[in-house]
Amino acid sequence: MLKRKNLVSGVLILALVLILSVSALASSFSANYSIPTGSSASWSGKSDHLWKFTSTNEATFKTTISNTSDRSINSALWMVKVLAPDTKIVSYALSGKNGDYKTATFTPQTSNSYYAVVTPVDTSGVNGTVSAYN
């Protein structure tokens, strides 16, 4: 009976270790963006919000608008390339308010970093969040 309990305990510990190991490979990043009223300049996460994935599992890029009135933006995820121009991985247009969002999937490379760029369609000002996770 004691051997059976030890075997069950060992299997449970192994399962827990495997679960924790797999979840440790997942990556999750986010950044808040803010483009003031009157500005048509893009917000870029390249200088302060570079994201480096630890897994090549399919990932999701998500952009959310948090304003209380409708806003329209273009959002893109870029991959940093060494000794070459950065590469646009996914992009989309988004219009909405109060947490409306849009997503796109991609397969990250673990050898490169990624960043988001949000461009307003007009000068109304827009706030929200960009994130990526797998």
Side-chain angles (χ1 to χ4, degrees):
M1 185 69 162
L2 185 57
K3 285 183 180 181
R4 183 171 174 88
K5 283 184 180 180
N6 286 341
L7 179 62
V8 171
S9 295
V11 169
L12 289 175
I13 290 172
L14 180 60
L16 180 61
V17 167
L18 287 173
I19 290 169
L20 293 175
S21 297
V22 170
S23 64
L25 294 176
S27 301
S28 180
F29 313 96
S30 69
N32 294 324
Y33 67 85
S34 182
I35 301 170
T37 301
S39 176
S40 59
S42 295
W43 175 92
S44 173
K46 187 171 185 177
S47 61
D48 295 334
H49 299 285
L50 283 178
W51 302 333
K52 186 131 174 98
F53 286 84
T54 57
S55 166
T56 57
N57 293 339
E58 182 177 80
T60 300
F61 173 59
K62 179 180 178 180
T63 307
T64 304
I65 295 176
S66 60
N67 295 71
T68 56
S69 56
D70 282 323
R71 297 290 191 268
S72 296
I73 59 171
N74 292 304
S75 185
L77 181 69
W78 290 78
M79 181 173 62
V80 177
K81 294 275 198 143
V82 178
L83 302 176
D86 294 352
T87 302
K88 189 185 295 185
I89 303 301
V90 296
S91 63
Y92 46 73
L94 170 62
S95 295
K97 61 182 179 182
N98 295 331
D100 287 340
Y101 67 90
K102 193 166 188 177
T103 63
T105 58
F106 66 102
T107 302
Q109 296 178 9
T110 57
S111 58
N112 295 83
S113 296
Y114 295 81
Y115 63 95
V117 174
V118 176
T119 305
V121 171
D122 57 31
T123 59
S124 300
V126 62
N127 301 301
T129 303
V130 287
S131 60
Y133 52 89
N134 65 354

